[in-house]
Amino acid sequence: MKIKNTNKGYSLLELLVYVALFAMISVLLVHSLVVLMRTYASAQGFRRLQNNGELIIERITREVRDAESISTGTFGTHPGTLTLASGGDTVAFAVSNGAATITENSTTGILSTSQVAVTNMVFRRITTPVGEGVKVELTLTATGGVIRTASFYSTALLRTQ
């Protein structure tokens, strides 16, 4: 004679164990996702800082190397200004409302994006036996998401005639 098993469902204890395991796995997955999203946002902020800093420093360095003389400037303090002369053209760098600006022959443009703020831009006029030059100190802060700050430095000599 065969005995039929009439117990076809889960017991309450089994059900509680499965729900607890599912909850623990779900919490681990959500936590991992949150950590991954924070890391991604931090990496994006750092990349924005690097791109903006390299662009601004490269442009200033290139213009200093191409210039014949330093017309005017505010040196050694933030916000610094620098005006360069090359032939009949002038190029000026400054900070306006947290953005790095360039003015070429009375036309002003913005060098930095809205996602970064220029918190420090200092120009230092230097004189060497070879000629005159400019040291640039630039500090940027990412404004969206994770707050990050990066500093950039450059030195360039004016061209000699």
Side-chain angles (χ1 to χ4, degrees), residues 61-82:
T61 302
R62 185 171 8 114
E63 294 294 342
V64 168
R65 287 182 180 150
D66 289 343
E68 294 172 354
S69 65
I70 298 172
S71 296
T72 59
T74 305
F75 300 104
T77 63
H78 171 76
T81 61
L82 176 67

mmCIF file with all atom_site columns, all heavy atoms in Angstrom, residues 61-82:
data_model
loop_
_atom_site.group_PDB
_atom_site.id
_atom_site.type_symbol
_atom_site.label_atom_id
_atom_site.label_alt_id
_atom_site.label_comp_id
_atom_site.label_asym_id
_atom_site.label_entity_id
_atom_site.label_seq_id
_atom_site.pdbx_PDB_ins_code
_atom_site.Cartn_x
_atom_site.Cartn_y
_atom_site.Cartn_z
_atom_site.occupancy
_atom_site.B_iso_or_equiv
_atom_site.pdbx_formal_charge
_atom_site.auth_seq_id
_atom_site.auth_comp_id
_atom_site.auth_asym_id
_atom_site.auth_atom_id
_atom_site.pdbx_PDB_model_num
ATOM 1   N N   . THR A 1 61 ? 48.607 79.360 -22.175 1.00 0.00 ? 61 THR A N   1
ATOM 2   C CA  . THR A 1 61 ? 50.012 79.100 -22.505 1.00 0.00 ? 61 THR A CA  1
ATOM 3   C C   . THR A 1 61 ? 50.287 79.404 -23.974 1.00 0.00 ? 61 THR A C   1
ATOM 4   O O   . THR A 1 61 ? 51.291 80.043 -24.315 1.00 0.00 ? 61 THR A O   1
ATOM 5   C CB  . THR A 1 61 ? 50.379 77.640 -22.184 1.00 0.00 ? 61 THR A CB  1
ATOM 6   O OG1 . THR A 1 61 ? 50.132 77.399 -20.799 1.00 0.00 ? 61 THR A OG1 1
ATOM 7   C CG2 . THR A 1 61 ? 51.827 77.348 -22.494 1.00 0.00 ? 61 THR A CG2 1
ATOM 8   N N   . ARG A 1 62 ? 49.415 78.971 -24.850 1.00 0.00 ? 62 ARG A N   1
ATOM 9   C CA  . ARG A 1 62 ? 49.593 79.217 -26.287 1.00 0.00 ? 62 ARG A CA  1
ATOM 10  C C   . ARG A 1 62 ? 49.572 80.712 -26.597 1.00 0.00 ? 62 ARG A C   1
ATOM 11  O O   . ARG A 1 62 ? 50.406 81.213 -27.356 1.00 0.00 ? 62 ARG A O   1
ATOM 12  C CB  . ARG A 1 62 ? 48.504 78.496 -27.079 1.00 0.00 ? 62 ARG A CB  1
ATOM 13  C CG  . ARG A 1 62 ? 48.695 78.597 -28.570 1.00 0.00 ? 62 ARG A CG  1
ATOM 14  C CD  . ARG A 1 62 ? 47.760 77.707 -29.386 1.00 0.00 ? 62 ARG A CD  1
ATOM 15  N NE  . ARG A 1 62 ? 46.726 77.055 -28.646 1.00 0.00 ? 62 ARG A NE  1
ATOM 16  C CZ  . ARG A 1 62 ? 45.426 77.305 -28.801 1.00 0.00 ? 62 ARG A CZ  1
ATOM 17  N NH1 . ARG A 1 62 ? 45.015 78.208 -29.660 1.00 0.00 ? 62 ARG A NH1 1
ATOM 18  N NH2 . ARG A 1 62 ? 44.520 76.642 -28.109 1.00 0.00 ? 62 ARG A NH2 1
ATOM 19  N N   . GLU A 1 63 ? 48.631 81.426 -25.992 1.00 0.00 ? 63 GLU A N   1
ATOM 20  C CA  . GLU A 1 63 ? 48.541 82.878 -26.251 1.00 0.00 ? 63 GLU A CA  1
ATOM 21  C C   . GLU A 1 63 ? 49.750 83.618 -25.697 1.00 0.00 ? 63 GLU A C   1
ATOM 22  O O   . GLU A 1 63 ? 50.231 84.569 -26.314 1.00 0.00 ? 63 GLU A O   1
ATOM 23  C CB  . GLU A 1 63 ? 47.247 83.450 -25.667 1.00 0.00 ? 63 GLU A CB  1
ATOM 24  C CG  . GLU A 1 63 ? 45.981 82.940 -26.324 1.00 0.00 ? 63 GLU A CG  1
ATOM 25  C CD  . GLU A 1 63 ? 45.826 83.360 -27.783 1.00 0.00 ? 63 GLU A CD  1
ATOM 26  O OE1 . GLU A 1 63 ? 46.494 84.309 -28.237 1.00 0.00 ? 63 GLU A OE1 1
ATOM 27  O OE2 . GLU A 1 63 ? 45.012 82.721 -28.478 1.00 0.00 ? 63 GLU A OE2 1
ATOM 28  N N   . VAL A 1 64 ? 50.264 83.208 -24.533 1.00 0.00 ? 64 VAL A N   1
ATOM 29  C CA  . VAL A 1 64 ? 51.465 83.849 -23.973 1.00 0.00 ? 64 VAL A CA  1
ATOM 30  C C   . VAL A 1 64 ? 52.647 83.608 -24.893 1.00 0.00 ? 64 VAL A C   1
ATOM 31  O O   . VAL A 1 64 ? 53.423 84.528 -25.183 1.00 0.00 ? 64 VAL A O   1
ATOM 32  C CB  . VAL A 1 64 ? 51.753 83.330 -22.539 1.00 0.00 ? 64 VAL A CB  1
ATOM 33  C CG1 . VAL A 1 64 ? 53.136 83.763 -22.074 1.00 0.00 ? 64 VAL A CG1 1
ATOM 34  C CG2 . VAL A 1 64 ? 50.689 83.810 -21.567 1.00 0.00 ? 64 VAL A CG2 1
ATOM 35  N N   . ARG A 1 65 ? 52.803 82.400 -25.382 1.00 0.00 ? 65 ARG A N   1
ATOM 36  C CA  . ARG A 1 65 ? 53.929 82.087 -26.273 1.00 0.00 ? 65 ARG A CA  1
ATOM 37  C C   . ARG A 1 65 ? 53.850 82.849 -27.590 1.00 0.00 ? 65 ARG A C   1
ATOM 38  O O   . ARG A 1 65 ? 54.877 83.153 -28.191 1.00 0.00 ? 65 ARG A O   1
ATOM 39  C CB  . ARG A 1 65 ? 53.982 80.584 -26.532 1.00 0.00 ? 65 ARG A CB  1
ATOM 40  C CG  . ARG A 1 65 ? 54.464 79.816 -25.346 1.00 0.00 ? 65 ARG A CG  1
ATOM 41  C CD  . ARG A 1 65 ? 54.568 78.343 -25.625 1.00 0.00 ? 65 ARG A CD  1
ATOM 42  N NE  . ARG A 1 65 ? 55.034 77.645 -24.436 1.00 0.00 ? 65 ARG A NE  1
ATOM 43  C CZ  . ARG A 1 65 ? 54.719 76.412 -24.136 1.00 0.00 ? 65 ARG A CZ  1
ATOM 44  N NH1 . ARG A 1 65 ? 53.949 75.697 -24.931 1.00 0.00 ? 65 ARG A NH1 1
ATOM 45  N NH2 . ARG A 1 65 ? 55.184 75.855 -23.034 1.00 0.00 ? 65 ARG A NH2 1
ATOM 46  N N   . ASP A 1 66 ? 52.630 83.128 -28.048 1.00 0.00 ? 66 ASP A N   1
ATOM 47  C CA  . ASP A 1 66 ? 52.467 83.850 -29.302 1.00 0.00 ? 66 ASP A CA  1
ATOM 48  C C   . ASP A 1 66 ? 52.533 85.366 -29.137 1.00 0.00 ? 66 ASP A C   1
ATOM 49  O O   . ASP A 1 66 ? 52.658 86.092 -30.122 1.00 0.00 ? 66 ASP A O   1
ATOM 50  C CB  . ASP A 1 66 ? 51.124 83.487 -29.956 1.00 0.00 ? 66 ASP A CB  1
ATOM 51  C CG  . ASP A 1 66 ? 51.119 82.071 -30.515 1.00 0.00 ? 66 ASP A CG  1
ATOM 52  O OD1 . ASP A 1 66 ? 52.211 81.495 -30.693 1.00 0.00 ? 66 ASP A OD1 1
ATOM 53  O OD2 . ASP A 1 66 ? 50.016 81.538 -30.763 1.00 0.00 ? 66 ASP A OD2 1
ATOM 54  N N   . ALA A 1 67 ? 52.438 85.860 -27.910 1.00 0.00 ? 67 ALA A N   1
ATOM 55  C CA  . ALA A 1 67 ? 52.392 87.307 -27.669 1.00 0.00 ? 67 ALA A CA  1
ATOM 56  C C   . ALA A 1 67 ? 53.778 87.941 -27.779 1.00 0.00 ? 67 ALA A C   1
ATOM 57  O O   . ALA A 1 67 ? 54.802 87.295 -27.576 1.00 0.00 ? 67 ALA A O   1
ATOM 58  C CB  . ALA A 1 67 ? 51.800 87.583 -26.297 1.00 0.00 ? 67 ALA A CB  1
ATOM 59  N N   . GLU A 1 68 ? 53.747 89.240 -28.083 1.00 0.00 ? 68 GLU A N   1
ATOM 60  C CA  . GLU A 1 68 ? 54.993 90.009 -28.140 1.00 0.00 ? 68 GLU A CA  1
ATOM 61  C C   . GLU A 1 68 ? 55.281 90.720 -26.829 1.00 0.00 ? 68 GLU A C   1
ATOM 62  O O   . GLU A 1 68 ? 56.437 90.943 -26.492 1.00 0.00 ? 68 GLU A O   1
ATOM 63  C CB  . GLU A 1 68 ? 54.921 91.028 -29.279 1.00 0.00 ? 68 GLU A CB  1
ATOM 64  C CG  . GLU A 1 68 ? 54.871 90.372 -30.646 1.00 0.00 ? 68 GLU A CG  1
ATOM 65  C CD  . GLU A 1 68 ? 54.615 91.378 -31.757 1.00 0.00 ? 68 GLU A CD  1
ATOM 66  O OE1 . GLU A 1 68 ? 54.362 92.562 -31.468 1.00 0.00 ? 68 GLU A OE1 1
ATOM 67  O OE2 . GLU A 1 68 ? 54.665 90.953 -32.914 1.00 0.00 ? 68 GLU A OE2 1
ATOM 68  N N   . SER A 1 69 ? 54.194 91.092 -26.101 1.00 0.00 ? 69 SER A N   1
ATOM 69  C CA  . SER A 1 69 ? 54.394 91.790 -24.829 1.00 0.00 ? 69 SER A CA  1
ATOM 70  C C   . SER A 1 69 ? 53.171 91.616 -23.935 1.00 0.00 ? 69 SER A C   1
ATOM 71  O O   . SER A 1 69 ? 52.090 91.263 -24.393 1.00 0.00 ? 69 SER A O   1
ATOM 72  C CB  . SER A 1 69 ? 54.646 93.289 -25.063 1.00 0.00 ? 69 SER A CB  1
ATOM 73  O OG  . SER A 1 69 ? 53.489 93.893 -25.612 1.00 0.00 ? 69 SER A OG  1
ATOM 74  N N   . ILE A 1 70 ? 53.383 91.911 -22.649 1.00 0.00 ? 70 ILE A N   1
ATOM 75  C CA  . ILE A 1 70 ? 52.297 91.920 -21.679 1.00 0.00 ? 70 ILE A CA  1
ATOM 76  C C   . ILE A 1 70 ? 51.837 93.363 -21.559 1.00 0.00 ? 70 ILE A C   1
ATOM 77  O O   . ILE A 1 70 ? 52.610 94.230 -21.152 1.00 0.00 ? 70 ILE A O   1
ATOM 78  C CB  . ILE A 1 70 ? 52.765 91.377 -20.312 1.00 0.00 ? 70 ILE A CB  1
ATOM 79  C CG1 . ILE A 1 70 ? 53.223 89.933 -20.447 1.00 0.00 ? 70 ILE A CG1 1
ATOM 80  C CG2 . ILE A 1 70 ? 51.651 91.504 -19.286 1.00 0.00 ? 70 ILE A CG2 1
ATOM 81  C CD1 . ILE A 1 70 ? 53.867 89.364 -19.205 1.00 0.00 ? 70 ILE A CD1 1
ATOM 82  N N   . SER A 1 71 ? 50.597 93.621 -21.945 1.00 0.00 ? 71 SER A N   1
ATOM 83  C CA  . SER A 1 71 ? 50.084 94.994 -21.901 1.00 0.00 ? 71 SER A CA  1
ATOM 84  C C   . SER A 1 71 ? 49.793 95.416 -20.474 1.00 0.00 ? 71 SER A C   1
ATOM 85  O O   . SER A 1 71 ? 50.330 96.391 -19.973 1.00 0.00 ? 71 SER A O   1
ATOM 86  C CB  . SER A 1 71 ? 48.810 95.122 -22.734 1.00 0.00 ? 71 SER A CB  1
ATOM 87  O OG  . SER A 1 71 ? 49.083 94.876 -24.081 1.00 0.00 ? 71 SER A OG  1
ATOM 88  N N   . THR A 1 72 ? 48.875 94.712 -19.832 1.00 0.00 ? 72 THR A N   1
ATOM 89  C CA  . THR A 1 72 ? 48.508 95.015 -18.455 1.00 0.00 ? 72 THR A CA  1
ATOM 90  C C   . THR A 1 72 ? 48.149 93.712 -17.756 1.00 0.00 ? 72 THR A C   1
ATOM 91  O O   . THR A 1 72 ? 48.096 92.649 -18.366 1.00 0.00 ? 72 THR A O   1
ATOM 92  C CB  . THR A 1 72 ? 47.269 95.953 -18.376 1.00 0.00 ? 72 THR A CB  1
ATOM 93  O OG1 . THR A 1 72 ? 46.171 95.301 -19.031 1.00 0.00 ? 72 THR A OG1 1
ATOM 94  C CG2 . THR A 1 72 ? 47.540 97.296 -19.005 1.00 0.00 ? 72 THR A CG2 1
ATOM 95  N N   . GLY A 1 73 ? 47.861 93.823 -16.479 1.00 0.00 ? 73 GLY A N   1
ATOM 96  C CA  . GLY A 1 73 ? 47.438 92.635 -15.749 1.00 0.00 ? 73 GLY A CA  1
ATOM 97  C C   . GLY A 1 73 ? 47.363 92.898 -14.263 1.00 0.00 ? 73 GLY A C   1
ATOM 98  O O   . GLY A 1 73 ? 47.907 93.863 -13.754 1.00 0.00 ? 73 GLY A O   1
ATOM 99  N N   . THR A 1 74 ? 46.650 92.015 -13.592 1.00 0.00 ? 74 THR A N   1
ATOM 100 C CA  . THR A 1 74 ? 46.618 91.996 -12.140 1.00 0.00 ? 74 THR A CA  1
ATOM 101 C C   . THR A 1 74 ? 47.380 90.743 -11.740 1.00 0.00 ? 74 THR A C   1
ATOM 102 O O   . THR A 1 74 ? 46.916 89.631 -11.990 1.00 0.00 ? 74 THR A O   1
ATOM 103 C CB  . THR A 1 74 ? 45.163 91.932 -11.627 1.00 0.00 ? 74 THR A CB  1
ATOM 104 O OG1 . THR A 1 74 ? 44.432 93.011 -12.197 1.00 0.00 ? 74 THR A OG1 1
ATOM 105 C CG2 . THR A 1 74 ? 45.116 92.013 -10.115 1.00 0.00 ? 74 THR A CG2 1
ATOM 106 N N   . PHE A 1 75 ? 48.540 90.946 -11.136 1.00 0.00 ? 75 PHE A N   1
ATOM 107 C CA  . PHE A 1 75 ? 49.430 89.819 -10.875 1.00 0.00 ? 75 PHE A CA  1
ATOM 108 C C   . PHE A 1 75 ? 49.494 89.497 -9.389  1.00 0.00 ? 75 PHE A C   1
ATOM 109 O O   . PHE A 1 75 ? 49.469 90.384 -8.546  1.00 0.00 ? 75 PHE A O   1
ATOM 110 C CB  . PHE A 1 75 ? 50.840 90.138 -11.393 1.00 0.00 ? 75 PHE A CB  1
ATOM 111 C CG  . PHE A 1 75 ? 50.866 90.410 -12.866 1.00 0.00 ? 75 PHE A CG  1
ATOM 112 C CD1 . PHE A 1 75 ? 50.974 91.704 -13.351 1.00 0.00 ? 75 PHE A CD1 1
ATOM 113 C CD2 . PHE A 1 75 ? 50.760 89.367 -13.764 1.00 0.00 ? 75 PHE A CD2 1
ATOM 114 C CE1 . PHE A 1 75 ? 50.999 91.956 -14.706 1.00 0.00 ? 75 PHE A CE1 1
ATOM 115 C CE2 . PHE A 1 75 ? 50.775 89.602 -15.132 1.00 0.00 ? 75 PHE A CE2 1
ATOM 116 C CZ  . PHE A 1 75 ? 50.894 90.908 -15.607 1.00 0.00 ? 75 PHE A CZ  1
ATOM 117 N N   . GLY A 1 76 ? 49.583 88.206 -9.078  1.00 0.00 ? 76 GLY A N   1
ATOM 118 C CA  . GLY A 1 76 ? 49.800 87.754 -7.712  1.00 0.00 ? 76 GLY A CA  1
ATOM 119 C C   . GLY A 1 76 ? 48.561 87.631 -6.852  1.00 0.00 ? 76 GLY A C   1
ATOM 120 O O   . GLY A 1 76 ? 48.659 87.247 -5.695  1.00 0.00 ? 76 GLY A O   1
ATOM 121 N N   . THR A 1 77 ? 47.376 87.974 -7.358  1.00 0.00 ? 77 THR A N   1
ATOM 122 C CA  . THR A 1 77 ? 46.148 87.869 -6.565  1.00 0.00 ? 77 THR A CA  1
ATOM 123 C C   . THR A 1 77 ? 45.043 87.235 -7.401  1.00 0.00 ? 77 THR A C   1
ATOM 124 O O   . THR A 1 77 ? 45.109 87.212 -8.631  1.00 0.00 ? 77 THR A O   1
ATOM 125 C CB  . THR A 1 77 ? 45.652 89.243 -6.075  1.00 0.00 ? 77 THR A CB  1
ATOM 126 O OG1 . THR A 1 77 ? 45.323 90.039 -7.213  1.00 0.00 ? 77 THR A OG1 1
ATOM 127 C CG2 . THR A 1 77 ? 46.688 89.940 -5.229  1.00 0.00 ? 77 THR A CG2 1
ATOM 128 N N   . HIS A 1 78 ? 44.015 86.762 -6.709  1.00 0.00 ? 78 HIS A N   1
ATOM 129 C CA  . HIS A 1 78 ? 42.829 86.243 -7.384  1.00 0.00 ? 78 HIS A CA  1
ATOM 130 C C   . HIS A 1 78 ? 41.729 87.272 -7.263  1.00 0.00 ? 78 HIS A C   1
ATOM 131 O O   . HIS A 1 78 ? 41.557 87.841 -6.186  1.00 0.00 ? 78 HIS A O   1
ATOM 132 C CB  . HIS A 1 78 ? 42.368 84.924 -6.756  1.00 0.00 ? 78 HIS A CB  1
ATOM 133 C CG  . HIS A 1 78 ? 41.035 84.470 -7.282  1.00 0.00 ? 78 HIS A CG  1
ATOM 134 N ND1 . HIS A 1 78 ? 40.898 83.916 -8.522  1.00 0.00 ? 78 HIS A ND1 1
ATOM 135 C CD2 . HIS A 1 78 ? 39.791 84.513 -6.743  1.00 0.00 ? 78 HIS A CD2 1
ATOM 136 C CE1 . HIS A 1 78 ? 39.622 83.618 -8.719  1.00 0.00 ? 78 HIS A CE1 1
ATOM 137 N NE2 . HIS A 1 78 ? 38.933 83.980 -7.641  1.00 0.00 ? 78 HIS A NE2 1
ATOM 138 N N   . PRO A 1 79 ? 40.961 87.567 -8.249  1.00 0.00 ? 79 PRO A N   1
ATOM 139 C CA  . PRO A 1 79 ? 41.069 87.054 -9.607  1.00 0.00 ? 79 PRO A CA  1
ATOM 140 C C   . PRO A 1 79 ? 42.108 87.846 -10.394 1.00 0.00 ? 79 PRO A C   1
ATOM 141 O O   . PRO A 1 79 ? 42.083 89.069 -10.438 1.00 0.00 ? 79 PRO A O   1
ATOM 142 C CB  . PRO A 1 79 ? 39.674 87.267 -10.195 1.00 0.00 ? 79 PRO A CB  1
ATOM 143 C CG  . PRO A 1 79 ? 39.129 88.447 -9.458  1.00 0.00 ? 79 PRO A CG  1
ATOM 144 C CD  . PRO A 1 79 ? 39.759 88.399 -8.091  1.00 0.00 ? 79 PRO A CD  1
ATOM 145 N N   . GLY A 1 80 ? 43.006 87.111 -10.997 1.00 0.00 ? 80 GLY A N   1
ATOM 146 C CA  . GLY A 1 80 ? 44.030 87.749 -11.801 1.00 0.00 ? 80 GLY A CA  1
ATOM 147 C C   . GLY A 1 80 ? 43.525 88.066 -13.190 1.00 0.00 ? 80 GLY A C   1
ATOM 148 O O   . GLY A 1 80 ? 42.589 87.445 -13.684 1.00 0.00 ? 80 GLY A O   1
ATOM 149 N N   . THR A 1 81 ? 44.126 89.069 -13.800 1.00 0.00 ? 81 THR A N   1
ATOM 150 C CA  . THR A 1 81 ? 43.835 89.390 -15.189 1.00 0.00 ? 81 THR A CA  1
ATOM 151 C C   . THR A 1 81 ? 45.152 89.469 -15.941 1.00 0.00 ? 81 THR A C   1
ATOM 152 O O   . THR A 1 81 ? 46.202 89.760 -15.351 1.00 0.00 ? 81 THR A O   1
ATOM 153 C CB  . THR A 1 81 ? 43.084 90.731 -15.332 1.00 0.00 ? 81 THR A CB  1
ATOM 154 O OG1 . THR A 1 81 ? 43.908 91.777 -14.810 1.00 0.00 ? 81 THR A OG1 1
ATOM 155 C CG2 . THR A 1 81 ? 41.746 90.697 -14.609 1.00 0.00 ? 81 THR A CG2 1
ATOM 156 N N   . LEU A 1 82 ? 45.076 89.191 -17.226 1.00 0.00 ? 82 LEU A N   1
ATOM 157 C CA  . LEU A 1 82 ? 46.273 89.232 -18.057 1.00 0.00 ? 82 LEU A CA  1
ATOM 158 C C   . LEU A 1 82 ? 45.867 89.718 -19.433 1.00 0.00 ? 82 LEU A C   1
ATOM 159 O O   . LEU A 1 82 ? 44.948 89.161 -20.042 1.00 0.00 ? 82 LEU A O   1
ATOM 160 C CB  . LEU A 1 82 ? 46.898 87.836 -18.155 1.00 0.00 ? 82 LEU A CB  1
ATOM 161 C CG  . LEU A 1 82 ? 48.103 87.689 -19.073 1.00 0.00 ? 82 LEU A CG  1
ATOM 162 C CD1 . LEU A 1 82 ? 49.297 88.477 -18.518 1.00 0.00 ? 82 LEU A CD1 1
ATOM 163 C CD2 . LEU A 1 82 ? 48.477 86.228 -19.234 1.00 0.00 ? 82 LEU A CD2 1
#
